[in-house]
Amino acid sequence: MKEFLSIGELAKIFDMDVQLLRHYDAKGLLVPQVRNSENSRRFYHFDQVYPLATIRYLRRLGYPLAQIRDFLHNNALRDNLEMLSEQAEKLRRQCDELNATIQIIQQKVEFIDREQSSSQKGKFSVRTFPRRAFLHIGDEINLFTHELFYFYPTVGFYRGERKWFGALLYEDTPVQEYHFPELMAEQTLSYIPAGEYLCGYHYGPYLTIQDSIDRLFEEASRRELRVDDCVITPNIVDQCCEGHPENYITGLEVRILPEEGITAEEYLMPGPVG
């Protein structure tokens, strides 16, 4: 075995780019033992394959380069084992978050498939819903920068000129199993009450949704239904899964109120507004 390896030979052993070895050199992680003063060619002693293997191993575990440098320069076994244990715990948390994300993606796909299959353009129906949980997001301006927007179906609330939004949580998931607790801890869990709703659908961009809302109220009047003044609009097909606004599908729901009982102001309070 050769005592010294060129940068190209060392890179070939590990099937890596020579630029990465140059980067490790610049960062002080793996400095070649010999550097030709005339042409700056790098030569590594064969024993340097061991620290390079360690670097590759720690990178696979997700260590940042600064922490790898500390690991390599630390002669205390117990300290390095503690660092490995801490990294294992960090990876476990990341794994939990990834599994939660996978589950939420699957739930969203199932939600879209279920709701899209029951949607009918120009048709109205009365549906009975269980109590549904949602988390307030707030005004439309807050919607697209809020993390919950990317994980749960958006639900809008339209009352006259006012509108606000939330993240609709899934009916088949117990509250204690909702994911991303660090996000949810900042939110107030609210509920859309159970009951009968007159339902329709809006097809197309959100800018024209008011026309569909007006038709929903016209249908309620035609059926002589006493309904709430707030329309609930769960997104079914939206920009997260469809690139063309003309193909968006938004549910329209207005609660059919009992002859005697609660009113909109008592059961549905808007989130923060400007």
Side-chain angles (χ1 to χ4, degrees):
M1 183 63 66
K2 295 173 63 175
E3 184 178 1
F4 287 94
L5 302 169
S6 70
I7 189 171
E9 290 171 328
L10 185 59
K12 185 175 181 179
I13 291 173
F14 285 88
D15 191 24
M16 61 191 299
D17 196 303
V18 295
Q19 294 298 331
L20 188 54
L21 284 174
R22 293 191 178 103
H23 182 61
Y24 290 163
D25 181 9
K27 293 293 184 181
L29 286 174
L30 190 70
V31 178
Q33 282 199 5
V34 177
R35 193 187 304 268
N36 190 306
S37 59
E38 295 181 0
N39 56 24
S40 296
R41 291 188 64 188
R42 298 167 171 86
F43 291 92
Y44 297 82
H45 194 276
F46 181 80
D47 284 349
Q48 290 187 279
V49 299
Y50 299 111
L52 180 55
T54 301
I55 293 169
R56 300 271 284 176
Y57 166 66
L58 296 176
R59 287 298 286 160
R60 288 287 299 272
L61 296 182
Y63 275 73
L65 293 184
Q67 196 171 8
I68 291 175
R69 184 168 54 247
D70 293 341
F71 190 102
L72 292 174
H73 294 164
N74 190 347
N75 293 322
L77 174 62
R78 181 51 51 189
D79 290 346
N80 286 346
L81 292 179
E82 185 175 339
M83 289 173 64
L84 285 171
S85 296
E86 291 173 354
Q87 189 67 11
E89 177 61 22
K90 179 181 177 182
L91 292 174
R92 186 196 63 76
R93 291 194 300 268
Q94 291 175 350
C95 183
D96 290 343
E97 290 176 3
L98 286 173
N99 285 330
T101 301
I102 291 169
Q103 182 176 344
I104 285 178
I105 291 171
Q106 292 172 334
Q107 286 177 310
K108 188 164 187 177
V109 170
E110 293 169 1
F111 172 84
I112 292 170
D113 283 343
R114 182 177 66 249
E115 295 299 320
Q116 185 184 20
S117 65
S118 64
S119 66
Q120 289 183 294
K121 197 169 187 177
K123 300 292 185 180
F124 298 95
S125 62
V126 174
R127 296 176 63 183
T128 301
F129 290 101
R131 187 177 73 160
R132 291 169 289 172
F134 71 95
L135 293 163
H136 284 298
I137 290 177
D139 287 342
E140 191 169 18
I141 194 66
N142 302 321
L143 188 60
F144 304 103
T145 58
H146 202 290
E147 286 295 317
L148 292 174
F149 168 76
Y150 297 97
F151 294 108
Y152 296 93
T154 300
V155 59
F157 300 90
Y158 288 72
R159 177 179 288 136
E161 297 297 319
R162 294 191 63 192
K163 57 183 176 180
W164 61 96
F165 298 88
L168 184 64
L169 305 181
Y170 298 106
E171 298 171 15
D172 56 352
T173 304
V175 171
Q176 63 270 23
E177 293 184 11
Y178 287 131
H179 306 298
F180 309 103
E182 69 282 359
L183 294 176
M184 306 240 176
E186 303 172 0
Q187 308 296 318
T188 300
L189 189 65
S190 302
Y191 294 93
I192 302 170
E196 290 190 328
Y197 288 77
L198 178 64
C199 302
Y201 296 91
H202 171 68
Y203 289 76
Y206 302 123
L207 289 176
T208 59
I209 196 171
Q210 188 59 50
D211 294 338
S212 297
I213 290 175
D214 292 342
R215 287 194 290 272
L216 182 70
F217 281 121
E218 289 170 3
E219 179 66 15
S221 178
R222 188 186 70 80
R223 297 188 184 201
E224 298 183 345
L225 297 175
R226 180 174 175 260
V227 296
D228 189 5
D229 62 349
C230 181
V231 176
I232 302 164
T233 63
N235 284 9
I236 299 172
V237 176
D238 59 14
Q239 64 277 357
C240 292
C241 58
E242 172 58 59
H244 299 87
E246 63 271 17
N247 295 327
Y248 293 172
I249 303 176
T250 308
L252 303 174
E253 305 169 1
V254 61
R255 189 178 186 225
I256 301 172
L257 296 176
E259 292 299 324
E260 300 291 339
I262 58 177
T263 63
E265 290 295 338
E266 292 171 326
Y267 73 70
L268 187 61
M269 297 299 294
V273 295

